[in-house]
């Protein structure tokens, strides 16, 4: 009987050791889980922080994956497309280009890209003359306008035509030229390099016309 009791005791000790070993194994697995959960939280937190601070985080190349869209208007967007030319990037000047014998006077307006990047110009610029009778807006000639990429440091020209005042009268005195690049709202005011005045008209329409980009001077140069 004593031998049987010892055997039972030995079996109980062995069972206890086995149970303890199983419990230790479960603890090890349980301790392994928090680092994984912590890592997932860290990654999620990093992504959230990137989204808040960087507009979408950074890609594998180190560039902002979402922040580039905001700068696309003044540069190339995330797809590498060229952004439109901004007024502040353009050096705008005007010169008289009237040829002797012409029935109309012509002013060539130059837009030189000084923004440090290529940019897109499309359509017509807005042109207004400051006159002694108030502002006078030029009308478009209706010529086809082709979008163009203006390389950094290069220029494009367009023409402004107006009737020459040969009436001998004082006419409508011109005091300035206001140019607004295509698709822009910011304007630049220049000295008027053409004839000093316009002939007085019956007011049936603007006698001043503006051509599209590339319609005067050397085109895109």
């Amino acid at each position: 009987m004593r031998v049987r009791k010892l055997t039972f005791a030995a079996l109980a000790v062995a069972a206890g050791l086995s149970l303890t070993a199983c419990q230790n194994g479960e603890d090890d697995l349980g301790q392994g889980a928090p680092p994984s959960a912590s890592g997932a939280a860290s990654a999620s937190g990093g992504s959230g922080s990137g989204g808040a601070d960087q507009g979408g985080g950074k890609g594998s190349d180190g560039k902002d994956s979402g922040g580039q869209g905001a700068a696309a208007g003044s540069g190339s967007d995330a797809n590498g497309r060229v952004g439109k030319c901004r007024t502040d990037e353009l050096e705008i000047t005007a010169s008289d280009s009237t040829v002797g014998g012409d029935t109309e006077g012509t002013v060539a307006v130059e837009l030189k890209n000084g923004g440090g990047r290529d940019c897109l110009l499309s359509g017509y610029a807005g042109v207004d003359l400051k006159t002694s009778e108030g502002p006078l807006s030029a009308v478009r000639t209706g010529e086809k306008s082709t979008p163009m990429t203006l390389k950094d440091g290069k220029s494009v020209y367009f023409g402004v035509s107006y009737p020459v005042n040969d009436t001998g009268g004082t006419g409508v005195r011109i005091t300035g030229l206001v140019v607004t690049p295509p698709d822009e709202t910011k304007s630049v005011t220049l000295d008027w390099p053409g004839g000093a005045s316009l002939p007085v008209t019956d007011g049936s329409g603007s006698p001043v016309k503006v051509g599209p980009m590339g319609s005067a001077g050397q085109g895109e140069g």
Side-chain angles (χ1 to χ4, degrees):
M1 181 67 66
R2 181 176 177 82
V3 172
R4 181 175 297 179
K5 288 182 178 180
L6 289 175
T7 301
F8 286 157
L11 289 174
V13 171
L17 291 175
S18 175
L19 179 61
T20 302
C22 290
Q23 289 175 343
N24 287 340
E26 289 174 357
D27 287 344
D28 289 342
L29 291 174
Q31 291 173 358
S36 297
S38 174
S42 176
S44 175
S47 177
S49 174
D53 298 337
Q54 301 173 8
K58 294 188 177 182
S60 59
D61 57 358
K63 296 182 179 179
D64 290 346
S65 60
Q68 292 178 351
S74 60
S76 297
D77 66 13
N79 296 320
R81 291 176 297 196
V82 178
K84 69 180 181 180
C85 298
R86 300 289 188 179
T87 301
D88 291 338
E89 298 175 316
L90 299 171
E91 300 171 19
I92 305 176
T93 56
S95 59
D96 184 12
S97 61
T98 304
V99 177
D102 285 353
T103 57
E104 289 187 328
T106 303
V107 166
V109 179
E110 176 185 4
L111 282 68
K112 183 176 182 180
N113 184 0
R117 67 177 181 93
D118 298 348
C119 61
L120 181 66
L121 278 176
S122 178
Y124 287 72
V127 171
D128 297 275
L129 299 187
K130 290 184 173 183
T131 78
S132 56
E133 302 298 323
L136 177 64
S137 296
V139 297
R140 297 177 179 182
T141 60
E143 297 174 66
K144 182 179 179 180
S145 173
T146 302
M148 63 181 68
T149 298
L150 186 60
K151 300 292 186 182
D152 182 38
K154 299 297 184 179
S155 296
V156 66
Y157 302 77
F158 68 87
V160 178
S161 60
Y162 62 96
V164 176
N165 183 14
D166 55 5
T167 63
T170 56
V172 178
R173 186 167 53 87
I174 305 173
T175 60
L177 170 65
V178 181
V179 177
T180 308
D183 300 319
E184 277 288 86
T185 57
K186 185 175 182 179
S187 303
V188 173
T189 301
L190 308 171
D191 292 333
W192 173 251
S197 63
L198 299 172
V200 177
T201 66
D202 59 7
S204 59
S206 175
V208 182
K209 294 180 172 60
V210 56
M213 295 294 151
S215 62
Q218 301 173 359
E220 185 179 0

